[in-house]
Amino acid sequence: MTRTRLTYAHRPARELLRIAAAEAGAWFLGRISGVFALGSMAHGGFAPEVSDVDIALVFDEIPADAAERVTALAEHVRALVPAEARPLADRLSVFWSDWPHLCRGEGAGRLPAVDRADFLEHGVLLTGHDLRHLCPRPDDGELVVESAHFAARKFGAEPYLALLRSPRRLLAAGAREATRAVLVP
């Protein structure tokens, strides 16, 4: 079941989402069909000290320069947030795709299968139109293969493995890094 509104009351994170949604609409002038909250802001469990603030932009059709413009948009939003939301602004994560690809069950843009599943099942519409009911969930095979590729990249990097082998270094890296090391597997 999908939620229709954010229930989490962390005001700085909600303000960051509000600013990001408004700025996305202004930057892409009618090319965005919907803006959604994802992740822990959408399905609960948001922890201000460690959680990302995830947002998804869904275009009618992906612009050719979408990757560059979305990156620039995220930097712009980070500069606009009030002081109380600045610690979260560095953890703003912008996902993006378009309805044609989503409704065909294809990954496009920056919305890999695991995040697509989260978007379809738990995303909260912030503004625009919601056509998720037309989109298939990624199948288990796609989720497993994508997760295996992610794990191979993440755990195949010697600097990351060295960090995991040293609990003192991992704890010194901060609560966010330690939490991610536990949750990623």
Side-chain angles (χ1 to χ4, degrees), residues 11 15 17 23-24 31 64 80 95 107 109 127 147 164 185:
R11 195 173 63 76
E15 179 65 6
L17 286 175
E23 291 298 313
R31 296 180 80 176
L80 289 178
F95 296 89
T127 186
S147 296
L164 294 179

Side-chain angles (χ1 to χ4, degrees), residues 6 10 12-18 20 36-42 46-48 50-56 78 85 87-95 110 126 176 180:
L6 292 176
H10 189 264
R14 290 174 68 101
E15 179 65 6
L16 178 57
L17 286 175
R18 186 197 65 73
F36 296 79
L38 299 180
S40 59
M41 282 295 294
F46 181 81
V50 297
S51 293
D52 288 341
V53 178
D54 301 319
I55 192 167
R78 289 181 186 110
L88 295 173
D90 288 337
R91 291 182 270 141
L92 175 65
S93 186
V94 183
F95 296 89
R110 180 181 180 244
L126 300 174
R176 186 164 186 263
R180 291 178 77 104

